Amino acid sequence: MQYSEPMFKDKVLKNKTIVVTGGGTGLGRSMSTYFSKLGANVVITSRKLEVLQKTASEITEETGGNILAVACDVRKEDDVQALLSQTLEEFGTVNGLLNNAAGNFISPTERLSPKAFGIILDIVLKGTINCTLTFGKHWIEKKSPATVLNIVTTYATTGSGFVVPSACAKGGVLAMTRSLAVEWAKYNIRFNAIAPGPFPTKGAWERLVPQPLKDKIALEKRIPLKRMGEHQELANLAAYVMSDFASYMNGEVITIDGGEWLQGAGQFNGLEAVPDPMWDAIEQYIRSQKGS
Ligand code: HXC
Ligand code: NAP
């Protein structure tokens, strides 16, 4: 058994309709593909209709499933309302929302204009709010059980320099996840989040690991497991959280990062750099100091 293999063999998402924002590219595309393999009807949405249509036909070819491509800018309430209407028109019902769309780029914060800061907040935080409110109100009115999964980041909890608008927005999304997990449990709507570590995608790497910085960042070295994530690993986790197997999971944020964030947090983790032979001398010294 390989970690890069699909986890579920049965159609565990059969009879479910799941909307995936940012579903035309990157991780959203990978999760959408797996949801489709598991029997779900999937609605993929973002701003670029041609990208979505191409992805939809490629997924259908691979899985034989129903994929609907809908252009929607999650920052715009009317677009999101139309997304809900088109989903219902096509599939009659909707059971899950995966808030995955995002915008991000690295920059020293003092170089950002208010507009640059705002554009990230609008996509990530306002976009997630727009989708959650629109779909949530529909589910509450129809008394439909549902599940919402929000893709955040590990720095939603820790914060991080050089991606401050994204950290603020993802932190807000995490707060919303935990808040509504409690408030809307009475409507049988579950809220959870996944915090991925580095999973290479074109969209993220162009903006966060640009060519001039590639050698300086050396992401793998920061990760205790010394590798990046495989898309299927994230898709496996997302499929579980969206499925009825996770019915008792509510308000959770699941980190999947090879131990990356803890590597930076543990005070003595830097001792990884000490070569083995040096430990003999260190041990000898510590023992010799006993009682002195
Ligand atoms: C400083 C910048 C800038 C930069 C743009 N701006 N790029 N400022 N440094 N590198 C400023 C502009 O000057 C402008 O402000 C304002 O931002 C908006 O610029 P626009 O030209 O309107 O925006 P544009 O560059 O077209 O769009 C930015 C974007 C775009 C919205 C973020 O890249 C996008 O659509 N991204 C979607 C996909 C994406 O980002 N995927 C990565 C997600 S990865 P002024 O005031 O000058 O007009 C992710 C991973 C997290 O989240 C964790 C990884 C481990
Ligand atoms: P990506 O391919 O760039 O995905 C971002 C998606 O969001 C794109 O499909 C984009 O499509 C869509 N989008 C952007 N603005 C939008 C808007 N206003 N309305 C609707 N859709 C919009 O990057 P990714 O790496 O797969 O990222 C996916 C998610 O994972 C993001 O939430 C990101 O923060 C998170 N994440 C990624 C990593 C990683 O290592 N890759 C790590 C941690 C978290 P359009 O441009 O067509 O609109």
Side-chain angles (χ1 to χ4, degrees):
M1 189 66 69
Q2 279 289 317
Y3 58 74
S4 52
E5 282 177 32
M7 180 171 78
F8 289 115
K9 305 299 171 201
D10 298 324
K11 299 262 179 193
V12 297
L13 298 176
K14 198 167 169 242
N15 299 325
K16 296 215 182 286
T17 297
I18 299 173
V19 172
V20 180
T21 69
T25 64
L27 300 180
R29 175 185 170 133
S30 298
M31 291 185 278
S32 298
T33 304
Y34 192 41
F35 294 168
S36 176
K37 277 189 186 149
L38 296 175
N41 299 318
V42 184
V43 181
I44 56 173
T45 184
S46 79
R47 294 165 299 179
K48 302 189 190 97
L49 189 58
E50 326 82 74
V51 173
L52 293 167
Q53 285 171 335
K54 185 166 180 289
T55 298
S57 67
E58 287 168 2
I59 297 180
T60 300
E61 202 170 301
E62 186 179 341
T63 68
N66 301 316
I67 312 288
L68 176 67
V70 179
C72 162
D73 185 331
V74 292
R75 293 171 292 185
K76 299 180 180 158
E77 286 171 48
D78 290 351
D79 278 20
V80 175
Q81 197 59 53
L83 168 68
L84 172 63
S85 303
Q86 285 189 56
T87 300
L88 295 175
E89 233 165 74
E90 183 76 14
F91 297 118
T93 180
V94 57
N95 319 92
L97 170 66
L98 173 50
N99 284 309
N100 165 80
N104 201 359
F105 54 80
I106 48 170
S107 174
T109 308
E110 65 274 20
R111 294 172 69 107
L112 297 175
S113 66
K115 183 178 164 197
F117 210 112
I119 199 168
I120 304 302
L121 287 179
D122 281 354
I123 299 171
V124 177
L125 183 54
K126 187 160 178 258
T128 301
I129 290 169
N130 284 342
C131 292
T132 303
L133 269 185
T134 302
F135 283 76
K137 286 178 183 181
H138 165 76
W139 288 322
I140 291 167
E141 191 200 327
K142 297 287 171 199
K143 297 189 168 45
S144 298
T147 185
V148 178
L149 174 57
N150 295 325
I151 302 299
V152 293
T153 55
T154 51
Y155 59 65
T157 311
T158 63
S160 173
F162 302 96
V163 283
V164 171
S166 172
C168 294
K170 295 285 193 182
V173 171
L174 182 53
M176 188 176 70
T177 307
R178 289 175 168 151
S179 305
L180 287 180
V182 175
E183 190 182 337
W184 285 2
K186 59 180 176 281
Y187 302 122
N188 215 350
I189 305 173
R190 294 190 295 121
F191 281 81
N192 291 289
I194 294 178
F199 284 73
T201 65
K202 187 168 180 291
W205 260 233
E206 274 173 356
R207 296 167 174 95
L208 302 169
V209 197
Q211 194 60 42
L213 268 185
K214 262 203 173 103
D215 298 337
K216 288 206 166 56
I217 293 183
L219 277 170
E220 285 99 333
K221 288 199 188 129
R222 294 174 32 83
I223 303 168
L225 288 177
K226 301 294 178 226
R227 68 172 179 87
M228 306 220 217
E230 296 254 350
H231 285 208
Q232 187 62 49
E233 294 178 278
L234 179 68
N236 286 339
L237 178 58
Y240 167 68
V241 177
M242 294 307 289
S243 79
D244 293 338
F245 287 120
S247 292
Y248 202 49
M249 181 185 286
N250 188 27
E252 191 51 79
V253 55
I254 307 156
T255 298
I256 177 166
D257 74 342
E260 185 196 32
W261 85 266
L262 279 169
Q263 167 79 20
Q267 260 182 325
F268 290 94
N269 287 341
L271 295 181
E272 187 66 33
V274 175
D276 245 3
M278 200 188 278
W279 279 114
D280 291 337
I282 293 171
E283 181 178 339
Q284 227 173 21
Y285 176 79
I286 294 170
R287 286 181 184 279
S288 75
Q289 298 299 303
K290 219 188 267 176
S292 63

